[in-house]
Structures are given as structure tokens and as C-alpha cells.
Amino acid sequence: MTAMEFPRPQDKLAILKHIPLFASCTAEQLQLVGERTRLMEYKKDECVYREGDRADAFYIVSSGRLRVFSGAEGHEHVLTVLHNGDTFGEISLLTGEMHSATVEAINDTLVLQLEKPDFDELINRIPSLVLYLSRLLSKRLRTKQQGGGPADATVIAVYGAARGVGRTLFSAALATFLRGETRQPVIVVDFSSKEGLANLVLSPARRVGRQSVPIRSFWSEEPVEQEAWEHPLGFHVLDAASLLTAAESERGVAPLVSGLVTRYHYLVLDLPTELNTTVLKALTQSDLVYVLTDATKTCLLRTNALIQQLRESGGHLEGRMKLALNMMETAEERLSPSEAAASLGRPIDVLLPAIPSASGVLSAEEFLQGLSVQETAYALVVRRVARELGGLLVGLALGSGAALGLAHIGVLKVLERERIPIDLIAGSSVGAMIGALWASGKSADELEQIAKRFEQPWRLRALFLDFGIPLFCVVIGIFAGALVIRLAGVWTGILFGLIVAMALGLVFGPLAGGPLQGARVTQFLQELLGDMTFEETRIPLKILASNPTLREEVVFESGRLVEAVRASISIPGIFKPVRARGKVCIDGGVINPIPISVLKKAGAKRIIAVNVFPTTEEVTIYAKELERRRAEREAQLASKHLFVRLASLLRRELRRSVTPLIFDVIMRSMQSMEYQIAEVACHDADLVLRPTVPGSSWLEFYHPAKFIQRGEEEGRRHLEAIKRVTGAEPVGLTTDSSTGTITSA
């Protein structure tokens, strides 16, 4: 907090004239108020007063924004956001109670402060203040009773350590999708003088129309009118490059932002590369900072130095900084996303794919057209960023269930056909495998063809039958063979050693974590996913495994997809566990069969869960149906020949003697447990799809069609609910076929 002085006494009166509280005051009354008020400056995140403090002053917001919140740290409840002309602190002064909320500056803020003795004197000498304050008090009490919440703007800075990393293109794309997805007013504040493509991207604004935006200067009596140009894609553009050349330009950033937040819900600040005091001020006034870089070594080194410089700037930017890696084509050799993340020492938050160009040189028309065609990879990524900022992220949780999980493919077919936006995917076990394949870019139809490969049971057996022999069994076999070689010859000794190793392997193999090594499954996944990493997926992906030692879930969100999927499908007692990140990992369904909680932690606001486990009621109905069929067969057999009845009895007894197999007992026990956990987890989903096929076996990968069809039926049956939950509708960008003009609906 810093006390400030006005250059001229009349400047304070100019501010007071624009505050509703003093609108009806005479010149003499304003002079009286001006003599008793002090101008105080609060820096970003600085506290004016805290909940429980004694009321000792009345405050008037002159410039900037403050948030009013209550509750202990970590459980804050934001009550409102204060802007220019708003007053606060009067309720506690009038009631004599302690402050019931904390007031904190969102960005650098100027506040007129009136001490309690002066406040008491003024309300006694100026009757109009009493009337205004009584109405204000009544309004705030009604708002509190009705549970009204805050509606504040979000200031987003876009910055880069080097030129040519696509900063302005990202700003324009982000503004486009913020406007289209949230339907809120958006403005791009252009702080840099552009050349080439960047200038052309924003220049269409100058051909559409303009409107004046009053940006009040708090050192003059009249507001300064700035012209904001309307872009064809729906957002506005404000040229603020002149602010960088003005004297004490950094002092103008906070008033500029303060003036815009009352008119626009999202402010996108496109900042120049040079890090001066004005740019640093704009960064510190922002709620979120996207630092852009390309994948070249030179740019990554500059970005690393920039991040370190911002950390040391004292603006507390670390928690508000997101790293965006632009995989644009460059003459210099590019690093992979994982290599770039390692070079910067932090994860990549946004991976921007290269924008295709017919000529090899991207034009403004191609870029703007790419935004209207939302299927392009670049547009999909930026749209997802905009939906995250707007609190609109939709998550899809794909549950475990072995062969039952093939129903996920049918659900995905409906989502694709209806163009339902899915922003995040999380999967356990078979849900992890299908989710990884879909996120990697494979369509639902391609997934169906992959599933149909196993309609021949021998292919399924070939995939799973890779029994392994523990190393100690091999060692014992070698020693046994060596002893027999001395007694009975070489070939007899070798044969005996093999027999001993295999016999011990069959006995101790299942005791060493599981009889199936999973090598063939890993090879199968490698053929489908290659060396793709989480950073390269089309949709952000979370894969869940379980650590039985610490009884915790292990969430994979970086590294190779193959390794994560292999860990998530390690069925206990069947597949050998995987060691990853220094932990033993088994099937993700053991702890979290439907990873809804993972999506919530990742920021998903609306969640669709796919639960393939039949309910207890469905299983009971199916069991009764089986019993009815058995009774009918026995009734029919009663009239058959004696030898037919004996053969039927022998077959039934033989089946009973070998069933259920140990693998079946393990899987059905696991699925009974997972069903109970899944039912509880699904309470947190906005919509639960249940494409169940009661009576089907967990191993029926050789009957994919019935599961996929059931998933498709369930998706179509709940299509209206899916659209309602996801808010699935066009973003609002249209192209005029006659002129080629892109507009926003």
C-alpha cells in the first residue's frame, strides 16, 4: 500500500464526479469530500483489509479491480469483484461490526480512502450520501440472500521470447474461439507494431467497423476515447502500440485494463518480444500468461532464459504461466515435444500443431480459413484452450471391463458422427487402451476394424498365450541338466534340464505375478501406437493404473503411451505386473475402474462416464432367464431316449468338473469389486452411459460386434442428453461462399 498525490488538486475532484456515490453532490460538497480523502495504491495481490479486521475506513475504487472473498485459505468463496466507482467497507462502518470478508487487489489498483471520523462527519453534513448508502446496503443484503456470485473479466497475456513463434496468430485464434465458445465479448489489445502475416491477421478488423471505447485517464477530467475495431471473426481489436512510446507508459497499463474489463469478458494482450517495464507491468496485471516458443534449440534457450527472468521479476508469475510449444515448420532442426519439455525443465501445457499451407508459406487467408474449419489440428487445440478458460471442458471417462469394454467403441462412433466435443479422456484397463488409440488419432471405425481382427479365436489365443518361466526356474534347470550330463550324457542332460525348468515354470510362474508376460500384447500395442507420447495425442489423455503396495492410483500423463496402457491392463493374477516410475503397477480398475475423479482434477467441468458393468438387477434377471432355459431343456430331455439323456448328463457333469477356471474366478471376483466402486464413482458424473450386455464373458473379444452395437445403441438413445451436457453446437463461424468472408454468428 502506497499513499499517492495528485499532480493537481482538481484531478481528485474529476475522479469524484464520475463516482455514483457523489453524483448528486454540489461543488462545495465535492470540495469537502476531496479534502478528506486520500489516494492509495495497492499492488496486485495486496490486501486492503482481511476478514475479522476492525472497520476503520470507507473505500472507493478509482482504478483497477479488487476481489471480495470469505473463508479460510484453500476454501475461499468469492463474493464479488469491484471495479471503477464501486465502494466498499461501508457496511462494517455503519453496523460497527468487524469486516466479514477479505478485499484483495486483482491488479494494481487506486483507491480513495476516507477515514472513519471523516466518514461520520460527511454523512452528517451531506444528506444525499445517507440515502445512497441505505439503498446500497439494502441491495447488497438482497444479493447476499439470493446467493449472487461474481462475474469478472479474465486478462490473458500472450508473450514470446523470440519473434516468429506465432504469438499474434495464437492471440487471434484464442480470441476467435473464446468468442465462439463462451458467447462473451472478447478484445485483443495489440501492444506491438506488426509486420507481415501477423499484421494481415488483425488487419481485417479495420475493414469491418469500429466503435469507441472510453478508457478513463485518472489524471484528467475527461475520459480518453480509444477506437476498438471489430474483426470478422467476432472479437474486437484495440491498437495500444502507442502506449509503449508514451512517457511513464507502464503507469497506463492498469488504467487501460481497468477500463476494458467493464466492457469485455476476456482481454487478450498481444505483447511485443522486448521485455521492458511496460510489458512486465502488463504481464503482472494478467490473470494468465501464455509463453510461446517453437521447438528449435535457439528459441528454447531464449525461452528458458525468459522464464527465469520472469520468475525473478517479483510479479509472482510462476503459478499463472503456461507454456505453449508451436510445432511450426522452421529451417532449423526441431526437437520433439518430450525433448523440448526436458530442455525447459517443465511440462508443455499447450502443443500447437503446424498449420498446413498449400504453398509452403502460410497466408492470412489460409490461417483465417483454418479457424473456420474446426477439424484442423491447430484449431482443435486452441478451441480446447478456449473451452478450458471458459470453464466448458468436457471429459470422457472410459471404464474397465475387459471384453465388455468393446462397447466404448460404439459410444465413440456416436460421438464422432454427431461431432460431440470431447476435451479430455481418462481410461482404466480396456478403457485406457481404447482411449489411447482414439486420442492418438484413430477413428472409431478404425477401432472397430482392429477389434474385428480377433473374431477368429486362434488370433486371440496367439495374443495372450505367452507364458513365461521365472529366471530362477531356468537357473535350477541348468544346474539339474549339468548334473545329468555327467551321469547320462549331453543330450539327456539338456532334455532333463528343459523339463525341470518348464515344470518349475508352470508351478511358480503364476506365483511370480501372473502366468502371462504380456510381451505379445506389448508388441500389438507397439504396432498400433508406435512411439507416440502423451504430448503428441490429438486429445489430452490420462491413463490410470494401480499400485497395490501403497494402495494408490498411478496416473500416466507423460511418456510413451504403450508403457502406460500396458501398465493399466495388467490384470492381477493373470498378467505380470509392470514396474513404472519405481512402482509396481497393475490394472487401473482395481482402485478406480471409472476415472471420473482424474478428469475432475484435470479441470473437466462436465463429465460423461461409460460404465459397461451390468447392474445387479440385470445380472439377476439374466440368471433367472438361464434357469428358465435350463428347465425347458430338461423337460425336453425327459422325453428323449435313455442314451441321449445319459450323454447329456455326462456332458453336464464334465463341464461342472472343469468350470469355473481359476482365471474366470479371478476376473469375476475383480469385476464384482469394480462394479461396486464404479457405482459410487458414477455419482460424480453429469451423464452415465450403460452399454451393458448381461451374461457376456470377460474374454469374449472374439464377439466384438455385439458389444460395439450395444454401445452405439446406448449412445443414440442418450444423444439429446449428451448434447445437453456437452453444450454441443456450432461455434458460430460461417463462411460466405460468394465472397469467402468469415463471420461469427
Side-chain angles (χ1 to χ4, degrees), residues 175-187:
T176 299
F177 288 109
L178 280 172
R179 173 60 178 157
E181 292 292 332
T182 67
R183 299 289 192 252
Q184 297 291 341
V186 182
I187 187 168

Side-chain angles (χ1 to χ4, degrees), residues 101-112:
T102 301
V103 179
E104 184 181 85
I106 296 177
N107 58 329
D108 291 357
T109 303
L110 295 178
V111 173
L112 287 171

Side-chain angles (χ1 to χ4, degrees), residues 243-256:
L243 186 63
L244 297 177
T245 59
E248 296 186 347
S249 57
E250 70 275 9
R251 296 184 65 88
V253 174
L256 175 68

